[in-house]
Amino acid sequence: MVEINVCIGSACHLKGSYDVIKKLQSIIDEKKLGDEVLVKAAFCLGDCMKAVAVKINKDEKIFSLNIKNTDEYFNEYIQKKVNQC
Ligand code: FES
C-alpha cells in the first residue's frame, strides 16, 4: 500500500490542499488503484514553503504539489511505487 500524506495545515490549506486531495483521489479512481494507494490528510509536515506539501509513506522527501503538477507527480512517483509493490 502506498500512502500519500497531503498536508492540510494552514499554509497548505490556503494553497489548495483539498483540490490536490480531490485530484489525487480522482486519478486513483480513474486508474482503479483504490486498493493500492491511499490518500490521507496530514498536519503540518514542517515545510510550509512547499505548500501544498506532500509526502509518500514515511519518506523524508517532501514534494510541492498543485492542481497542475499532480498528474505528473502521480505518474512519476506514485505509479512507480505501485509497480514495485
Ligand atoms: S502547513 Fe503544510 S507543511 Fe506546514
Side-chain angles (χ1 to χ4, degrees):
M1 174 69 80
V2 178
E3 200 175 280
I4 310 172
N5 297 290
V6 181
C7 177
I8 54 164
S10 44
C12 293
H13 175 76
L14 287 174
K15 291 274 196 127
S17 299
Y18 286 99
D19 292 335
V20 169
I21 289 174
K22 269 194 262 165
K23 178 79 181 169
L24 286 168
Q25 199 56 62
S26 81
I27 298 170
I28 292 165
D29 293 344
E30 207 173 278
K31 294 179 180 272
K32 302 193 189 333
L33 291 173
D35 291 339
E36 289 158 276
V37 184
L38 179 68
V39 181
K40 283 174 93 175
F43 292 113
C44 180
L45 296 177
D47 203 347
C48 312
M49 294 297 283
K50 289 193 174 164
V52 175
V54 174
K55 225 175 179 179
I56 306 171
N57 297 332
K58 302 265 185 265
D59 288 355
E60 289 301 309
K61 189 167 167 63
I62 292 181
F63 295 90
S64 177
L65 290 198
N66 57 52
I67 276 292
K68 290 183 186 144
N69 69 4
T70 301
D71 275 300
E72 192 185 329
Y73 165 79
F74 197 94
N75 292 330
E76 182 100 352
Y77 296 98
I78 306 302
Q79 191 68 58
K80 274 188 193 159
K81 287 242 179 215
V82 169
N83 295 345
Q84 288 166 4
C85 288

